[in-house]
């Protein structure tokens, strides 16, 4: 892959890959088990108040932080909110924006697409869920003497967020990918620096007893894959 010269140039900052090769059977069984787990994930909108230990949230966020990123800039920050006063402020601000969304800002077609999910501008989960993880993207890197460029920020943060959602599932917890819009209020309430923009708001916890989810189907493999 590298010319010898390039290899020489980089060799002092390269280390051997830590890689354990699985045989085909192990490979198939571990990836099928992971598929089954991921396929069991459902977006949940009704949470229990049952607490989740901070150490579990830390482990989930550490997992998200293992995502690949453009030039390894790791352009993300995760706020884990458990303080009830801050959660209330977030709920109040989110509901204000969502009221506008559901009463004029969203098109009729959009409202129709959402009808089967039964959503509206009222968001009790923002106070009920024991944790809100707010994902921020760093649109540029704040350095001591100014700004540096981050690359593929949306792709990097999207991948990290996907890994976060899977880590939540592995932990036996449920989540909601919530997108209040616009979400500038999150950077204000959480007092984030100027280079950060809110990306997604993810309540995390246990489902409320009797939680119902919409009866939806995932696309079949044949619809999402072509082999070339
Ligand atoms: N942000 C609103 C509306 C909403 C939009 C989409 I696209 C969804 O999949 C679900 C909801 C809300 O969170 O209610």
């Amino acid at each position: 892959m590298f010319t010898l010269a390039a290899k020489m140039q980089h060799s002092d900052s390269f280390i051997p890959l830590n890689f354990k090769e699985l045989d085909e059977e192990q490979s198939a069984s571990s990836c099928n088990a992971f598929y089954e787990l991921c396929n069991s994930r459902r977006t949940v909108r009704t949470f229990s108040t049952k607490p989740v230990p901070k150490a579990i949230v830390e482990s989930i966020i550490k997992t998200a932080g293992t995502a690949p990123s453009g030039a390894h800039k790791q352009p993300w920050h995760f706020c884990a909110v458990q303080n009830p006063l801050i959660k209330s402020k977030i709920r109040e601000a989110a509901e204000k924006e969502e009221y506008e969304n559901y009463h004029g800002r969203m098109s009729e077609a959009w409202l129709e697409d959402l009808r089967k999910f039964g959503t509206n501008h009222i968001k009790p989960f923002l106070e009920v869920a024991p944790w809100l993880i707010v994902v921020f993207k760093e649109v540029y890197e704040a350095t001591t003497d100014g700004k540096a460029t981050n690359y593929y920020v949306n792709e990097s943060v999207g991948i990290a967020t996907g890994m976060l959602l899977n880590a939540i599932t592995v932990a036996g917890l449920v989540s909601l990918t919530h997108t209040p819009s616009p979400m500038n209020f999150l950077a204000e309430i959480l007092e984030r620096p100027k280079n950060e923009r809110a990306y997604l708001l993810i309540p995390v916890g246990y489902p409320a007893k009797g939680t119902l989810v919409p009866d939806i189907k995932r696309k079949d493999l044949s619809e999402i894959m072509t082999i070339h």
Side-chain angles (χ1 to χ4, degrees), residues 203-216:
V204 180
Y206 292 92
K209 271 210 180 70
T211 285
L212 298 175
V213 293
D215 185 15
I216 51 172

Side-chain angles (χ1 to χ4, degrees), residues 28-89:
S29 94
S30 102
C31 111
N32 281 333
F34 189 59
Y35 160 69
E36 293 294 346
L37 180 75
C38 291
N39 197 33
S40 73
R41 186 201 57 78
R42 291 300 310 262
T43 290
V44 157
R45 292 188 165 78
T46 45
F47 287 80
S48 144
T49 55
K50 181 176 172 175
V52 171
K54 184 173 70 151
I56 293 179
V57 174
E58 286 171 343
S59 174
I60 287 166
I61 292 174
K62 270 200 292 187
T63 302
T66 67
S69 60
H72 193 53
K73 292 279 192 147
Q74 306 172 85
W76 44 63
H77 184 87
F78 303 89
C79 290
V81 182
Q82 61 170 346
N83 182 319
L85 290 175
I86 303 176
K87 288 199 290 184
S88 297
K89 273 193 199 170

Side-chain angles (χ1 to χ4, degrees), residues 77-225:
H77 184 87
F78 303 89
C79 290
V81 182
Q82 61 170 346
N83 182 319
L85 290 175
I86 303 176
K87 288 199 290 184
S88 297
K89 273 193 199 170
I90 290 176
R91 177 178 179 181
E92 193 186 336
E95 286 186 342
K96 213 157 135 197
E97 294 296 355
E98 291 295 354
Y99 182 88
E100 298 302 328
N101 291 337
Y102 282 89
H103 298 87
R105 284 204 295 230
M106 294 193 295
S107 66
E108 270 310 312
W110 192 349
L111 291 170
E112 185 51 39
D113 277 340
L114 290 184
R115 213 171 306 279
K116 60 174 167 292
F117 302 102
T119 58
N120 59 33
H121 72 280
I122 302 167
K123 307 295 183 191
F125 51 75
L126 292 173
E127 286 182 301
V128 176
W131 292 94
L132 306 179
I133 298 179
V134 188
V135 182
F136 286 91
K137 62 178 181 184
E138 297 181 348
V139 289
Y140 60 88
E141 186 185 355
T143 60
T144 40
D145 47 0
K147 298 178 179 183
T149 307
N150 282 339
Y151 308 95
Y152 299 103
V153 170
N154 284 319
E155 291 83 348
S156 304
V157 180
I159 295 166
T161 303
M163 295 175 67
L164 182 94
L165 296 177
N166 283 340
I168 291 167
T169 308
V170 171
L173 301 171
V174 295
S175 65
L176 166 58
T177 37
H178 179 40
T179 52
S181 171
M183 23 185 186
N184 322 341
F185 66 87
L186 290 166
E188 278 164 38
I189 293 174
L190 298 168
E191 300 177 348
R192 298 311 305 160
K194 277 209 290 289
N195 63 325
E196 291 185 15
R197 305 280 179 280
Y199 184 83
L200 213 52
L201 170 47
I202 306 175
V204 180
Y206 292 92
K209 271 210 180 70
T211 285
L212 298 175
V213 293
D215 185 15
I216 51 172
K217 302 277 171 287
R218 296 200 159 106
K219 286 183 179 172
D220 193 68
L221 181 62
S222 62
E223 294 176 83
I224 64 168
M225 177 184 187

